[in-house]
Amino acid sequence: MKLFRRGLVVLIAVLAVAAAAFAASTIHQRSVVGDRRRQATADAADSARRYAAKLVPAFSAGSQTIASLEELERGTQVTHVSAVKESTSVVVDVQATAVYPGARSAAVADACLRVILFRTDGAITDRIDGIPCDQAHTTSGNEVLTVG
């Protein structure tokens, strides 16, 4: 009987140590995945900002179309560009996507920006705001977009 109790105590202790190790491992894994997600989101936002920086020179050179704006995506993580003309400005929505290793499979982090291009004293300037990706415009076609 004494042997049985000792064995039971040892078994309970081993199970407690295993449960604690599993919990610590899970917490660590979540932390690592969270760090990867934050880094991927920052990378996507960085890429969207690099793309947005190309817009003022592009529109300063002349009118643009969705096709010409999509050509600017090369070398970035930008996956979607849409643009609409609003009175004297052009609104360009940019979505960049970065893939990162998740807990069990690859995961995706998105960053979206809205770039409003307008003329101030003859020069094209921009205002850049972060937006939720589900608020981005969707456009298609080859409308000619001109600022001003």
Side-chain angles (χ1 to χ4, degrees):
M1 192 59 149
K2 226 181 202 185
L3 185 59
F4 177 73
R5 276 189 271 186
R6 283 188 185 165
L8 192 56
V9 168
V10 168
L11 179 63
I12 291 171
V14 167
L15 288 175
V17 168
F22 178 75
S25 172
T26 301
I27 290 168
H28 175 72
Q29 180 67 21
R30 285 184 183 165
S31 173
V32 168
V33 169
D35 290 345
R36 289 178 185 158
R37 179 183 41 77
R38 282 186 288 281
Q39 183 59 50
T41 301
D43 291 348
D46 232 19
S47 190
R49 279 191 293 279
R50 279 194 311 276
Y51 175 87
K54 298 176 183 180
L55 292 174
V56 169
F59 277 95
S60 294
S63 298
Q64 300 294 314
T65 63
I66 294 296
S68 66
L69 293 177
E70 287 173 347
E71 287 179 25
L72 295 175
E73 292 177 15
R74 291 190 192 131
T76 68
Q77 294 173 314
V78 172
T79 55
H80 177 75
V81 174
S82 63
V84 293
K85 176 91 169 124
E86 291 184 355
S87 72
T88 60
S89 63
V90 173
V91 179
V92 180
D93 290 341
V94 180
Q95 179 175 358
T97 302
V99 178
Y100 65 97
R104 291 179 178 78
S105 63
V108 176
D110 291 321
C112 292
L113 298 178
R114 176 161 289 158
V115 183
I116 302 172
L117 299 144
F118 52 94
R119 285 200 184 272
T120 304
D121 298 327
I124 294 177
T125 57
D126 63 357
R127 188 180 86 218
I128 301 172
D129 298 310
I131 60 168
C133 290
D134 61 355
Q135 290 183 6
H137 292 109
T138 55
T139 55
S140 60
N142 241 3
E143 178 186 359
V144 176
L145 303 162
T146 306
V147 176

